[in-house]
Amino acid sequence: MSEIEIPDIVIRRLPLYARELGLLAGEGRDFISSQELGHRLGVTPAQIRKDLSYFGRFGKRGRGYEVLGLRERLRSILGLNGRVKEMVLVGVGQLGRAVLGYGGFRLGGFEVVRVFDSDPNQIGRKVDNHQVDDVATLPEYLQKTRVSMGIVAVPAEAAPSVIDTLVDGGVRAILSYAPVTMSVPHGVRLRQIDPVMELESMAYYLEEPFDGYIEDHQADVTTN
Amino acid sequence: MSEIEIPDIVIRRLPLYARELGLLAGEGRDFISSQELGHRLGVTPAQIRKDLSYFGRFGKRGRGYEVLGLRERLRSILGLNGRVKEMVLVGVGQLGRAVLGYGGFRLGGFEVVRVFDSDPNQIGRKVDNHQVDDVATLPEYLQKTRVSMGIVAVPAEAAPSVIDTLVDGGVRAILSYAPVTMSVPHGVRLRQIDPVMELESMAYYLEEPFDGYIEDHQADVTTN
DNA sequence: CACTGTGAACTTATTCACAGCT
DNA sequence: AGCTGTGAATAAGTTCACAGTG
């Protein structure tokens, strides 16, 4: 229970559990079983119990899990119970603006604290209460402030250099919307959101035959 | 090689391969080995060869893969070589607008053909060359046109009903930006993009201790 | 000769099944 | 009685290693 490496795939499910527990709390639920939670999430009860067992024993036998208590434990495990996580945002095009305007980050305990762009037309402007700074000043900003998370919302061509700058500046977790593959040093997490790739892979299941074949691919619900 | 079920995880990597092959073609490369392609993508060469072997034999021994040829095969396998894939978009808030404005869909062979919202202030307005229709008219529109893909960019509360409407209307592949878990019938693919969950799971690796513990989680590059 | 294509070996992830609490 | 927590069993996914081939 103590010195095994916890699989990333397990870590990635924790936010899902935490989110659903938040909803349950909102519905006034005090306790929930792995059975019912799994049913709501499309996950097996055994999966949930096994995942949680990596971190400790949070349930009460015969009763299930205390909804708010477990949610707090999960957020604590994820490191989300301290102060708000500060992020820099690079790129204030349409997508960057949507990121800034999206309330979900704030609610989740994340906050964009500084915004950068390379477009002279944007630099100096105010977008959603944030002064847009020249991306050229990003390195010095990172040096001063040690922000550990970043969001990249720049065009593909610009992304590699932006990501390098973030990494060099000590940013350890990067969420990129740019469709480019890059490798980053050990210890840095880079995750990409690429809606086009999602659509492309889903297209496979739309029974269009490929070339001459007519095959029947059918598969199950995937909630990512 | 012929009647085995192809794992979804393999399908999901095909767009990644196709994308990189497109870049290679742009660089003027004619052939590439699984070795080099894997290196560029952070994937093992064996993985690439194994993935491709589900669909046929596309390589030339001693030479590697013909860049443009393989790209076309992959796009064909995914069903992306026919005409443009038409999609409906539900929700034209900030996020929906970003989706509409994003050129990547167009380039990938996807096109938003109709836009819906429930907000009376939006309905009837023109957004990025699209007339915004009342979401109440979505069912009849789907009945008429049999669009098979949809993008959901509405708030979480509205998402379940929108998704149900899409499913009932015959939409078989749905990309949702709303942070809600839903189950859909067999044969329908629902994929969610949830940046907050990505950030939350990455936060785990930012060496914030959880409660009293100080542990050392370090893991490798993850490009989704 | 440098590569692919692929069974076999291995590793990782999921599910089972049941002992043990409450 | 009804649940959790968890080793053991199974399934899924990845990598190895090498025969085969242009």
Side-chain angles (χ1 to χ4, degrees), chain B:
Chain B
M1 188 218 105
S2 200
E3 213 37 90
I4 352 113
E5 192 48 59
I6 294 160
D8 181 62
I9 195 162
V10 171
I11 303 300
R12 292 214 198 187
R13 277 190 295 260
L14 302 185
L16 184 70
Y17 301 157
R19 186 175 80 188
E20 198 67 18
L21 289 164
L23 293 174
L24 282 159
E27 296 168 15
R29 271 309 271 296
D30 291 339
F31 276 84
I32 190 156
S33 63
S34 58
Q35 166 88 201
E36 189 183 347
L37 183 58
H39 182 75
R40 290 177 62 126
L41 292 170
V43 158
T44 65
Q47 174 101 263
I48 292 174
R49 296 200 303 275
K50 175 69 90 175
D51 284 353
L52 297 178
S53 76
Y54 281 102
F55 304 98
R57 289 110 86 70
F58 305 127
K60 291 211 200 320
R61 299 180 189 225
R63 302 262 272 138
Y65 301 89
E66 205 265 293
V67 170
L68 264 159
L70 180 57
R71 193 186 103 101
E72 282 316 287
R73 296 306 288 277
L74 293 176
R75 292 188 60 83
S76 166
I77 289 163
L78 291 167
L80 299 170
N81 270 356
R83 66 182 177 300
V84 164
K85 295 273 174 235
E86 305 192 328
M87 309 184 290
V88 295
L89 167 66
V90 188
V92 282
Q94 222 157 8
L95 179 59
R97 279 154 208 267
V99 166
L100 272 178
Y102 179 49
F105 293 115
R106 206 60 174 265
L107 291 170
F110 298 92
E111 188 182 2
V112 172
V113 292
R114 200 98 172 194
V115 168
F116 298 87
D117 204 302
S118 64
D119 178 356
N121 293 25
Q122 302 286 1
I123 294 164
R125 281 179 61 181
K126 258 213 143 99
V127 176
D128 206 83
N129 264 327
H130 292 269
Q131 180 87 11
V132 179
D133 288 333
D134 189 337
V135 73
T137 68
L138 177 55
E140 61 179 278
Y141 176 77
L142 292 173
Q143 182 128 64
K144 275 207 295 278
T145 59
R146 316 256 83 227
V147 171
S148 58
M149 308 188 91
I151 300 186
V152 176
V154 303
E157 318 79 71
S161 113
V162 166
I163 290 169
D164 283 340
T165 303
L166 291 171
V167 169
D168 292 348
V171 174
R172 308 272 311 279
I174 300 170
L175 183 63
S176 169
Y177 287 86
V180 288
T181 302
M182 272 196 63
S183 72
V184 289
H186 184 77
V188 178
R189 315 295 294 190
L190 169 61
R191 258 177 232 173
Q192 316 222 175
I193 284 183
D194 188 338
V196 173
M197 273 185 33
E198 300 289 342
L199 292 172
E200 287 179 342
S201 59
M202 284 195 289
Y204 175 79
Y205 299 96
L206 268 26
E207 77 298 284
E208 311 274 330
F210 73 96
D211 279 347
Y213 290 71
I214 297 170
E215 248 181 80
D216 157 65
H217 345 285
Q218 217 59 263
D220 229 330
V221 177
T222 310
T223 309
N224 220 28

